[in-house]
Structure formats: structure tokens, C-alpha cells
Amino acid sequence: MQSVTSISYHVAIEYAPTLQDKMQTTIAIIEDNRDFLRRYAAMVDAAPDMRLVGTAANGRDGLAMLERSRADVYLIDLGLPDINGVDLIRQAVRRHPDCDAVVISVFGDDAHILSSIEAGATGYLLKDSTPADMLDGIRTLRDGGAPVSPVIARKILQRMQGRAPGASRTRTDPQAQGLLTDREVEMLRTLAKGLTFIEIGELHEISPHTVARHVKNIYKKLAVHSRGEAVYEATALGLL
């Protein structure tokens, strides 16, 4: 009997997607705990708007999967037996710049959080999250947000609140440096007002998907992962 890993891996290589499949969010999972791996695979398989394209039970197989197939979202465990999950996040983002790498981990300490974010993770979910919360997190991610477990969000906020605005910064106004486009600055200002993507789209006469793309670019350029962080960072830099 084939394992979940081998079955999903062959799907990633041999499966020919239909037009309907191409509209789904493709997911790949790198997780060494077999029980968690099966649970996450079943979770994705049960979601009509998602499609599982590969799984790996260790870092080595995860690297091979990154080389041979692409996914919209990579769910990556940090505590792999052979390769640091942070290194896999870095590899995923380097090989597939348009993908999203989301941490799934039992670790919620500052060191793991910061190293993952610095490596390029766009989400951080603890393993005690419910399947429904994880699926909602993935959908939020694809809409331009950044899913973070409540405990992790609190840690990030506490860390940011402990840093005085402008302290220990060497950067100047990013708009003057050309870091953000004029359009992105406009998006940032409306984002700070708490408007939804639909409301921002109506205001600027663009689609919500275009808004999400702008917001995602803003997050990457400011090295943040949520609306609150973006507003905080932009305020500290003198943009708002």
C-alpha cells in the first residue's frame, strides 16, 4: 500500500490539471509527522477551492518537490529531521517568487517567528489551529492577507510595541527612495483607514484582486505581514 507521500508526489508530477483545476489554489505540504501530514492532506482534499499537488515527509524530499513542481502555497513544518524548515522556506521563495510559504509548527517563540519571516514566510500557523482556521488562513493569504495564529500575532505586536517609532532605523522615506510606487502609497493610505479590498477597489476603480496584488507588494517591500504591521511601519517611516 502506497504512503500518502508517494501518492501525492506522483500526483504532483503526473496529474494534468483541467481548466477548473487551474482556478483552484494548489497546495504542497512538507511535514515529517505522518499523522499531521495525513490530516493536512485530507483537509486540502476536502476543500473544493484547493488542490493538493504534493507532499514530503522530510526536508530532502521537500527540496526535490520544490525542484520538480510548483504550488501556489507551501505549508512547511519547521521541525524537520534533516533540514531546517526555515531553509526550505528560503528555497521555496527563491525558486518560486510568486508562491506563498506558510509555517505550520509547534514552535511559537520569537527566534522561530523572526527567522521564518526573514526567510520569506507570508504566514505562521501553529499546529493547534483547527482545520477550518487553516483553510481560512490559506484563503486569506490568497486574497492578499497574511494568516497568523492569534498567539503569534500577539507576540509580533508585543515586540513592535516595545520598539519606539523610528528607533534604530537607518532607512529614510521609502517613497523618496522609490521603494513604493505612487499607486502603492495611495493603496497604503486607504488601507490605513480600515477599508476592505472591495471598498478600496471601488474607490480607485480597480478590482479587489488588483487591490490584493498591490497590498501583497506593499507587504513585501515593507517587510511586513499584516495590515496592522504595514500601517505601523509606514507611520514610523513618515508615509502616513
Side-chain angles (χ1 to χ4, degrees), residues 7-66:
I7 293 173
S8 298
Y9 187 67
H10 285 301
V11 169
I13 297 172
E14 299 173 0
Y15 185 73
T18 64
L19 179 60
Q20 181 179 0
D21 291 330
K22 291 179 181 179
M23 299 175 65
Q24 296 175 312
T25 297
T26 54
I27 311 291
I29 307 168
I30 305 174
E31 165 64 65
D32 69 306
N33 183 295
R34 296 286 178 169
D35 290 336
F36 278 117
L37 183 59
R38 290 190 183 94
R39 184 184 308 172
Y40 298 147
M43 172 189 76
V44 173
D45 280 336
D49 56 340
M50 299 180 195
R51 178 165 55 89
L52 185 66
V53 296
T55 67
N58 55 55
R60 183 190 60 190
D61 290 345
L63 282 176
M65 185 169 63
L66 286 173

Short mmCIF file of all heavy atoms in Angstrom, two decimals, residues 7-66:
data_model
loop_
_atom_site.label_atom_id
_atom_site.label_comp_id
_atom_site.label_asym_id
_atom_site.label_seq_id
_atom_site.Cartn_x
_atom_site.Cartn_y
_atom_site.Cartn_z
N ILE A 7 1.89 8.81 -2.93
CA ILE A 7 0.71 9.04 -3.75
C ILE A 7 0.64 10.49 -4.19
O ILE A 7 0.50 10.81 -5.36
CB ILE A 7 -0.58 8.67 -2.98
CG1 ILE A 7 -0.64 7.16 -2.74
CG2 ILE A 7 -1.81 9.12 -3.74
CD1 ILE A 7 -1.78 6.73 -1.85
N SER A 8 0.78 11.42 -3.22
CA SER A 8 0.68 12.83 -3.53
C SER A 8 1.81 13.29 -4.42
O SER A 8 1.65 14.13 -5.28
CB SER A 8 0.67 13.65 -2.22
OG SER A 8 -0.45 13.32 -1.45
N TYR A 9 3.00 12.70 -4.22
CA TYR A 9 4.16 13.10 -5.01
C TYR A 9 3.93 12.76 -6.48
O TYR A 9 4.21 13.56 -7.36
CB TYR A 9 5.40 12.40 -4.47
CG TYR A 9 6.67 12.88 -5.11
CD1 TYR A 9 7.12 14.18 -4.90
CD2 TYR A 9 7.40 12.05 -5.95
CE1 TYR A 9 8.27 14.63 -5.49
CE2 TYR A 9 8.55 12.49 -6.54
CZ TYR A 9 8.99 13.78 -6.30
OH TYR A 9 10.13 14.22 -6.90
N HIS A 10 3.39 11.58 -6.74
CA HIS A 10 3.12 11.21 -8.13
C HIS A 10 2.04 12.10 -8.73
O HIS A 10 2.09 12.42 -9.91
CB HIS A 10 2.69 9.74 -8.22
CG HIS A 10 3.85 8.79 -8.05
ND1 HIS A 10 4.93 8.80 -8.89
CD2 HIS A 10 4.08 7.82 -7.14
CE1 HIS A 10 5.79 7.87 -8.52
NE2 HIS A 10 5.31 7.27 -7.45
N VAL A 11 1.07 12.50 -7.90
CA VAL A 11 0.05 13.41 -8.40
C VAL A 11 0.70 14.70 -8.87
O VAL A 11 0.38 15.25 -9.92
CB VAL A 11 -0.98 13.72 -7.28
CG1 VAL A 11 -1.87 14.87 -7.71
CG2 VAL A 11 -1.84 12.49 -7.02
N ALA A 12 1.67 15.21 -8.10
CA ALA A 12 2.32 16.46 -8.44
C ALA A 12 3.05 16.37 -9.78
O ALA A 12 3.12 17.32 -10.53
CB ALA A 12 3.32 16.85 -7.35
N ILE A 13 3.56 15.19 -10.11
CA ILE A 13 4.37 15.04 -11.32
C ILE A 13 3.51 14.68 -12.53
O ILE A 13 3.68 15.21 -13.61
CB ILE A 13 5.44 13.96 -11.11
CG1 ILE A 13 6.40 14.40 -9.99
CG2 ILE A 13 6.21 13.69 -12.39
CD1 ILE A 13 7.36 13.32 -9.58
N GLU A 14 2.52 13.81 -12.34
CA GLU A 14 1.83 13.21 -13.47
C GLU A 14 0.45 13.81 -13.76
O GLU A 14 -0.08 13.64 -14.84
CB GLU A 14 1.66 11.71 -13.22
CG GLU A 14 3.00 10.96 -13.07
CD GLU A 14 2.80 9.53 -12.66
OE1 GLU A 14 1.63 9.12 -12.49
OE2 GLU A 14 3.79 8.80 -12.50
N TYR A 15 -0.12 14.50 -12.80
CA TYR A 15 -1.50 14.95 -12.95
C TYR A 15 -1.61 16.07 -13.97
O TYR A 15 -0.85 17.03 -13.94
CB TYR A 15 -2.03 15.42 -11.60
CG TYR A 15 -3.50 15.79 -11.62
CD1 TYR A 15 -4.48 14.81 -11.70
CD2 TYR A 15 -3.89 17.12 -11.57
CE1 TYR A 15 -5.82 15.14 -11.72
CE2 TYR A 15 -5.22 17.46 -11.59
CZ TYR A 15 -6.19 16.46 -11.66
OH TYR A 15 -7.50 16.81 -11.68
N ALA A 16 -2.52 15.97 -14.91
CA ALA A 16 -2.75 17.01 -15.91
C ALA A 16 -3.99 17.80 -15.50
O ALA A 16 -5.12 17.31 -15.61
CB ALA A 16 -2.97 16.39 -17.29
N PRO A 17 -3.85 19.02 -14.99
CA PRO A 17 -4.98 19.79 -14.48
C PRO A 17 -5.94 20.22 -15.57
O PRO A 17 -5.55 20.54 -16.69
CB PRO A 17 -4.32 21.00 -13.81
CG PRO A 17 -3.01 21.15 -14.53
CD PRO A 17 -2.59 19.76 -14.85
N THR A 18 -7.22 20.24 -15.22
CA THR A 18 -8.26 20.74 -16.12
C THR A 18 -8.37 22.24 -15.92
O THR A 18 -7.72 22.83 -15.05
CB THR A 18 -9.61 20.10 -15.80
OG1 THR A 18 -10.00 20.50 -14.47
CG2 THR A 18 -9.51 18.58 -15.85
N LEU A 19 -9.21 22.91 -16.73
CA LEU A 19 -9.41 24.35 -16.60
C LEU A 19 -9.96 24.69 -15.22
O LEU A 19 -9.55 25.67 -14.60
CB LEU A 19 -10.39 24.83 -17.69
CG LEU A 19 -10.72 26.34 -17.66
CD1 LEU A 19 -9.43 27.15 -17.85
CD2 LEU A 19 -11.73 26.67 -18.75
N GLN A 20 -10.87 23.85 -14.72
CA GLN A 20 -11.43 24.10 -13.38
C GLN A 20 -10.35 23.97 -12.32
O GLN A 20 -10.30 24.76 -11.38
CB GLN A 20 -12.57 23.10 -13.09
CG GLN A 20 -13.21 23.32 -11.71
CD GLN A 20 -14.35 22.35 -11.46
OE1 GLN A 20 -14.68 21.52 -12.31
NE2 GLN A 20 -14.96 22.45 -10.30
N ASP A 21 -9.47 22.98 -12.48
CA ASP A 21 -8.39 22.79 -11.52
C ASP A 21 -7.47 24.00 -11.47
O ASP A 21 -6.95 24.37 -10.41
CB ASP A 21 -7.57 21.55 -11.87
CG ASP A 21 -8.34 20.26 -11.67
OD1 ASP A 21 -9.21 20.24 -10.78
OD2 ASP A 21 -8.09 19.29 -12.40
N LYS A 22 -7.24 24.63 -12.63
CA LYS A 22 -6.34 25.76 -12.69
C LYS A 22 -6.86 26.96 -11.90
O LYS A 22 -6.11 27.87 -11.57
CB LYS A 22 -6.08 26.15 -14.15
CG LYS A 22 -5.27 25.12 -14.92
CD LYS A 22 -5.07 25.54 -16.36
CE LYS A 22 -4.27 24.49 -17.13
NZ LYS A 22 -4.09 24.86 -18.54
N MET A 23 -8.17 26.97 -11.61
CA MET A 23 -8.76 28.04 -10.83
C MET A 23 -8.64 27.78 -9.34
O MET A 23 -8.93 28.64 -8.52
CB MET A 23 -10.24 28.21 -11.21
CG MET A 23 -10.45 28.58 -12.67
SD MET A 23 -12.20 28.62 -13.13
CE MET A 23 -12.79 29.98 -12.11
N GLN A 24 -8.18 26.58 -8.97
CA GLN A 24 -8.01 26.24 -7.58
C GLN A 24 -6.63 26.67 -7.07
O GLN A 24 -5.70 26.83 -7.85
CB GLN A 24 -8.18 24.73 -7.38
CG GLN A 24 -9.56 24.19 -7.72
CD GLN A 24 -9.61 22.68 -7.63
OE1 GLN A 24 -8.75 21.99 -8.16
NE2 GLN A 24 -10.61 22.15 -6.94
N THR A 25 -6.53 26.86 -5.78
CA THR A 25 -5.25 27.14 -5.16
C THR A 25 -4.51 25.84 -4.96
O THR A 25 -5.02 24.92 -4.31
CB THR A 25 -5.45 27.84 -3.79
OG1 THR A 25 -6.11 29.09 -3.99
CG2 THR A 25 -4.10 28.08 -3.11
N THR A 26 -3.31 25.72 -5.52
CA THR A 26 -2.55 24.48 -5.39
C THR A 26 -1.71 24.51 -4.11
O THR A 26 -1.09 25.53 -3.79
CB THR A 26 -1.65 24.26 -6.61
OG1 THR A 26 -0.83 25.42 -6.82
CG2 THR A 26 -2.50 24.02 -7.85
N ILE A 27 -1.69 23.39 -3.41
CA ILE A 27 -1.04 23.29 -2.12
C ILE A 27 -0.02 22.16 -2.11
O ILE A 27 -0.29 21.07 -2.63
CB ILE A 27 -2.07 23.02 -0.99
CG1 ILE A 27 -3.26 23.97 -1.08
CG2 ILE A 27 -1.40 23.08 0.38
CD1 ILE A 27 -2.96 25.40 -0.77
N ALA A 28 1.13 22.41 -1.53
CA ALA A 28 2.12 21.36 -1.27
C ALA A 28 2.46 21.40 0.22
O ALA A 28 2.52 22.46 0.82
CB ALA A 28 3.37 21.57 -2.11
N ILE A 29 2.66 20.21 0.81
CA ILE A 29 2.89 20.11 2.25
C ILE A 29 4.21 19.42 2.54
O ILE A 29 4.50 18.37 1.97
CB ILE A 29 1.75 19.33 2.93
CG1 ILE A 29 0.38 19.92 2.57
CG2 ILE A 29 1.93 19.31 4.45
CD1 ILE A 29 -0.79 19.03 2.97
N ILE A 30 5.01 20.03 3.42
CA ILE A 30 6.26 19.41 3.86
C ILE A 30 6.18 19.26 5.37
O ILE A 30 6.25 20.24 6.11
CB ILE A 30 7.48 20.27 3.46
CG1 ILE A 30 7.48 20.54 1.95
CG2 ILE A 30 8.78 19.58 3.89
CD1 ILE A 30 8.56 21.49 1.49
N GLU A 31 5.97 18.03 5.82
CA GLU A 31 5.69 17.73 7.23
C GLU A 31 6.17 16.32 7.55
O GLU A 31 5.81 15.37 6.87
CB GLU A 31 4.18 17.87 7.49
CG GLU A 31 3.66 17.27 8.77
CD GLU A 31 4.23 17.94 10.00
OE1 GLU A 31 3.94 19.14 10.20
OE2 GLU A 31 4.96 17.26 10.75
N ASP A 32 6.99 16.18 8.60
CA ASP A 32 7.56 14.86 8.90
C ASP A 32 6.66 13.98 9.77
O ASP A 32 6.81 12.76 9.76
CB ASP A 32 8.92 15.01 9.58
CG ASP A 32 8.82 15.59 10.98
OD1 ASP A 32 8.21 16.67 11.12
OD2 ASP A 32 9.34 14.98 11.93
N ASN A 33 5.72 14.57 10.50
CA ASN A 33 4.82 13.78 11.33
C ASN A 33 3.71 13.21 10.45
O ASN A 33 2.92 13.95 9.86
CB ASN A 33 4.22 14.65 12.44
CG ASN A 33 3.34 13.88 13.39
OD1 ASN A 33 2.29 13.37 13.00
ND2 ASN A 33 3.75 13.79 14.64
N ARG A 34 3.65 11.89 10.34
CA ARG A 34 2.71 11.24 9.41
C ARG A 34 1.26 11.55 9.74
O ARG A 34 0.43 11.72 8.84
CB ARG A 34 2.94 9.73 9.42
CG ARG A 34 4.31 9.30 8.91
CD ARG A 34 4.39 9.43 7.42
NE ARG A 34 5.71 9.07 6.91
CZ ARG A 34 5.98 8.89 5.63
NH1 ARG A 34 5.03 9.02 4.73
NH2 ARG A 34 7.21 8.58 5.25
N ASP A 35 0.94 11.63 11.03
CA ASP A 35 -0.44 11.92 11.41
C ASP A 35 -0.84 13.32 10.97
O ASP A 35 -1.92 13.53 10.41
CB ASP A 35 -0.61 11.79 12.93
CG ASP A 35 -0.53 10.35 13.40
OD1 ASP A 35 -0.80 9.45 12.57
OD2 ASP A 35 -0.21 10.12 14.58
N PHE A 36 0.04 14.29 11.22
CA PHE A 36 -0.24 15.66 10.78
C PHE A 36 -0.30 15.74 9.27
O PHE A 36 -1.15 16.43 8.70
CB PHE A 36 0.81 16.63 11.32
CG PHE A 36 0.58 17.08 12.73
CD1 PHE A 36 1.50 16.76 13.72
CD2 PHE A 36 -0.54 17.80 13.07
CE1 PHE A 36 1.30 17.17 15.04
CE2 PHE A 36 -0.76 18.22 14.37
CZ PHE A 36 0.17 17.91 15.37
N LEU A 37 0.61 15.02 8.59
CA LEU A 37 0.65 15.04 7.14
C LEU A 37 -0.66 14.53 6.55
O LEU A 37 -1.23 15.14 5.64
CB LEU A 37 1.82 14.20 6.64
CG LEU A 37 2.05 14.17 5.12
CD1 LEU A 37 2.29 15.56 4.58
CD2 LEU A 37 3.23 13.26 4.78
N ARG A 38 -1.16 13.42 7.08
CA ARG A 38 -2.43 12.87 6.59
C ARG A 38 -3.58 13.83 6.88
O ARG A 38 -4.48 14.01 6.05
CB ARG A 38 -2.70 11.51 7.26
CG ARG A 38 -1.77 10.40 6.80
CD ARG A 38 -2.24 9.04 7.31
NE ARG A 38 -1.32 7.98 6.94
CZ ARG A 38 -0.33 7.54 7.71
NH1 ARG A 38 -0.14 8.07 8.91
NH2 ARG A 38 0.47 6.57 7.29
N ARG A 39 -3.55 14.44 8.06
CA ARG A 39 -4.62 15.37 8.44
C ARG A 39 -4.65 16.57 7.50
O ARG A 39 -5.71 16.98 7.02
CB ARG A 39 -4.41 15.83 9.88
CG ARG A 39 -5.51 16.72 10.41
CD ARG A 39 -5.19 17.24 11.80
NE ARG A 39 -4.83 16.15 12.71
CZ ARG A 39 -4.36 16.35 13.93
NH1 ARG A 39 -4.15 17.59 14.38
NH2 ARG A 39 -4.08 15.33 14.72
N TYR A 40 -3.48 17.14 7.23
CA TYR A 40 -3.43 18.31 6.35
C TYR A 40 -3.80 17.95 4.92
O TYR A 40 -4.48 18.70 4.23
CB TYR A 40 -2.03 18.94 6.38
CG TYR A 40 -1.59 19.45 7.73
CD1 TYR A 40 -0.25 19.41 8.11
CD2 TYR A 40 -2.52 19.97 8.64
CE1 TYR A 40 0.15 19.87 9.35
CE2 TYR A 40 -2.12 20.42 9.88
CZ TYR A 40 -0.78 20.37 10.24
OH TYR A 40 -0.38 20.82 11.46
N ALA A 41 -3.34 16.78 4.47
CA ALA A 41 -3.67 16.33 3.11
C ALA A 41 -5.18 16.15 2.96
O ALA A 41 -5.77 16.56 1.96
CB ALA A 41 -2.93 15.04 2.78
N ALA A 42 -5.80 15.52 3.96
CA ALA A 42 -7.25 15.31 3.92
C ALA A 42 -7.99 16.64 3.97
O ALA A 42 -9.02 16.82 3.31
CB ALA A 42 -7.67 14.43 5.09
N MET A 43 -7.46 17.57 4.76
CA MET A 43 -8.06 18.90 4.87
C MET A 43 -8.09 19.60 3.51
O MET A 43 -9.11 20.15 3.10
CB MET A 43 -7.25 19.72 5.88
CG MET A 43 -7.62 21.18 5.99
SD MET A 43 -6.42 22.09 7.02
CE MET A 43 -5.03 22.23 5.85
N VAL A 44 -6.96 19.56 2.80
CA VAL A 44 -6.89 20.21 1.49
C VAL A 44 -7.76 19.48 0.48
O VAL A 44 -8.48 20.11 -0.32
CB VAL A 44 -5.43 20.26 1.00
CG1 VAL A 44 -5.36 20.77 -0.44
CG2 VAL A 44 -4.58 21.15 1.93
N ASP A 45 -7.74 18.14 0.49
CA ASP A 45 -8.54 17.35 -0.44
C ASP A 45 -10.03 17.65 -0.29
O ASP A 45 -10.79 17.57 -1.25
CB ASP A 45 -8.30 15.86 -0.23
CG ASP A 45 -7.00 15.39 -0.89
OD1 ASP A 45 -6.55 16.06 -1.84
OD2 ASP A 45 -6.44 14.38 -0.44
N ALA A 46 -10.46 17.98 0.93
CA ALA A 46 -11.87 18.23 1.19
C ALA A 46 -12.31 19.64 0.81
O ALA A 46 -13.51 19.93 0.78
CB ALA A 46 -12.17 17.98 2.68
N ALA A 47 -11.36 20.51 0.52
CA ALA A 47 -11.68 21.90 0.17
C ALA A 47 -11.89 22.02 -1.34
O ALA A 47 -10.97 21.75 -2.11
CB ALA A 47 -10.56 22.82 0.62
N PRO A 48 -13.07 22.42 -1.80
CA PRO A 48 -13.35 22.48 -3.23
C PRO A 48 -12.53 23.52 -3.99
O PRO A 48 -12.35 23.40 -5.20
CB PRO A 48 -14.84 22.81 -3.29
CG PRO A 48 -15.12 23.49 -1.98
CD PRO A 48 -14.23 22.83 -0.98
N ASP A 49 -12.01 24.53 -3.27
CA ASP A 49 -11.25 25.58 -3.94
C ASP A 49 -9.74 25.37 -3.84
O ASP A 49 -8.96 26.26 -4.16
CB ASP A 49 -11.60 26.95 -3.36
CG ASP A 49 -11.40 27.02 -1.85
OD1 ASP A 49 -11.36 25.96 -1.20
OD2 ASP A 49 -11.28 28.14 -1.32
N MET A 50 -9.32 24.17 -3.40
CA MET A 50 -7.90 23.87 -3.27
C MET A 50 -7.59 22.51 -3.89
O MET A 50 -8.46 21.67 -4.00
CB MET A 50 -7.46 23.89 -1.80
CG MET A 50 -7.67 25.22 -1.13
SD MET A 50 -7.16 25.21 0.61
CE MET A 50 -7.97 26.73 1.16
N ARG A 51 -6.32 22.35 -4.25
CA ARG A 51 -5.89 21.07 -4.84
C ARG A 51 -4.51 20.72 -4.32
O ARG A 51 -3.59 21.53 -4.40
CB ARG A 51 -5.88 21.16 -6.37
CG ARG A 51 -5.40 19.91 -7.07
CD ARG A 51 -5.78 19.94 -8.56
NE ARG A 51 -5.30 21.11 -9.24
CZ ARG A 51 -4.11 21.22 -9.83
NH1 ARG A 51 -3.27 20.18 -9.80
NH2 ARG A 51 -3.75 22.32 -10.44
N LEU A 52 -4.38 19.52 -3.78
CA LEU A 52 -3.10 19.05 -3.27
C LEU A 52 -2.24 18.57 -4.43
O LEU A 52 -2.64 17.70 -5.20
CB LEU A 52 -3.32 17.90 -2.28
CG LEU A 52 -2.08 17.36 -1.56
CD1 LEU A 52 -1.49 18.42 -0.63
CD2 LEU A 52 -2.44 16.11 -0.77
N VAL A 53 -1.02 19.14 -4.57
CA VAL A 53 -0.15 18.76 -5.68
C VAL A 53 1.12 18.05 -5.23
O VAL A 53 1.92 17.62 -6.06
CB VAL A 53 0.23 19.99 -6.53
CG1 VAL A 53 -0.99 20.60 -7.20
CG2 VAL A 53 0.97 21.04 -5.69
N GLY A 54 1.31 17.90 -3.92
CA GLY A 54 2.48 17.18 -3.47
C GLY A 54 2.65 17.21 -1.96
O GLY A 54 2.17 18.13 -1.30
N THR A 55 3.28 16.17 -1.43
CA THR A 55 3.64 16.14 -0.02
C THR A 55 5.05 15.58 0.11
O THR A 55 5.53 14.86 -0.76
CB THR A 55 2.67 15.26 0.81
OG1 THR A 55 2.82 13.90 0.43
CG2 THR A 55 1.23 15.70 0.65
N ALA A 56 5.69 15.93 1.22
CA ALA A 56 7.02 15.39 1.51
C ALA A 56 7.14 15.21 3.01
O ALA A 56 6.65 16.03 3.78
CB ALA A 56 8.11 16.33 0.99
N ALA A 57 7.79 14.11 3.42
CA ALA A 57 7.88 13.79 4.84
C ALA A 57 9.22 14.16 5.46
O ALA A 57 9.46 13.89 6.63
CB ALA A 57 7.62 12.29 5.05
N ASN A 58 10.09 14.82 4.69
CA ASN A 58 11.36 15.29 5.23
C ASN A 58 11.88 16.40 4.33
O ASN A 58 11.34 16.68 3.25
CB ASN A 58 12.38 14.16 5.36
CG ASN A 58 12.61 13.43 4.05
OD1 ASN A 58 12.94 14.03 3.03
ND2 ASN A 58 12.41 12.11 4.05
N GLY A 59 12.96 17.04 4.78
CA GLY A 59 13.49 18.17 4.04
C GLY A 59 14.06 17.80 2.69
O GLY A 59 13.90 18.53 1.71
N ARG A 60 14.73 16.65 2.61
CA ARG A 60 15.33 16.22 1.35
C ARG A 60 14.25 16.03 0.27
O ARG A 60 14.40 16.51 -0.86
CB ARG A 60 16.09 14.90 1.55
CG ARG A 60 16.81 14.40 0.30
CD ARG A 60 17.33 12.99 0.53
NE ARG A 60 16.23 12.08 0.84
CZ ARG A 60 16.38 10.83 1.28
NH1 ARG A 60 17.60 10.37 1.50
NH2 ARG A 60 15.34 10.06 1.52
N ASP A 61 13.18 15.33 0.62
CA ASP A 61 12.09 15.14 -0.34
C ASP A 61 11.40 16.47 -0.63
O ASP A 61 10.88 16.69 -1.73
CB ASP A 61 11.08 14.13 0.20
CG ASP A 61 11.64 12.72 0.23
OD1 ASP A 61 12.68 12.47 -0.41
OD2 ASP A 61 11.03 11.86 0.91
N GLY A 62 11.38 17.35 0.39
CA GLY A 62 10.79 18.67 0.17
C GLY A 62 11.56 19.46 -0.87
O GLY A 62 10.97 20.11 -1.74
N LEU A 63 12.88 19.41 -0.80
CA LEU A 63 13.71 20.09 -1.79
C LEU A 63 13.48 19.52 -3.19
O LEU A 63 13.39 20.26 -4.18
CB LEU A 63 15.19 19.97 -1.42
CG LEU A 63 15.70 20.89 -0.31
CD1 LEU A 63 17.15 20.56 0.01
CD2 LEU A 63 15.55 22.35 -0.69
N ALA A 64 13.38 18.20 -3.28
CA ALA A 64 13.13 17.56 -4.57
C ALA A 64 11.79 18.00 -5.14
O ALA A 64 11.65 18.24 -6.34
CB ALA A 64 13.17 16.04 -4.42
N MET A 65 10.79 18.11 -4.26
CA MET A 65 9.47 18.55 -4.70
C MET A 65 9.51 20.00 -5.19
O MET A 65 8.87 20.34 -6.19
CB MET A 65 8.46 18.39 -3.56
CG MET A 65 7.03 18.71 -3.95
SD MET A 65 5.83 18.20 -2.67
CE MET A 65 6.34 19.24 -1.30
N LEU A 66 10.27 20.84 -4.51
CA LEU A 66 10.40 22.23 -4.92
C LEU A 66 11.02 22.34 -6.32
O LEU A 66 10.65 23.19 -7.11
CB LEU A 66 11.27 23.00 -3.93
CG LEU A 66 10.66 23.36 -2.57
CD1 LEU A 66 11.71 23.98 -1.66
CD2 LEU A 66 9.48 24.31 -2.75
#
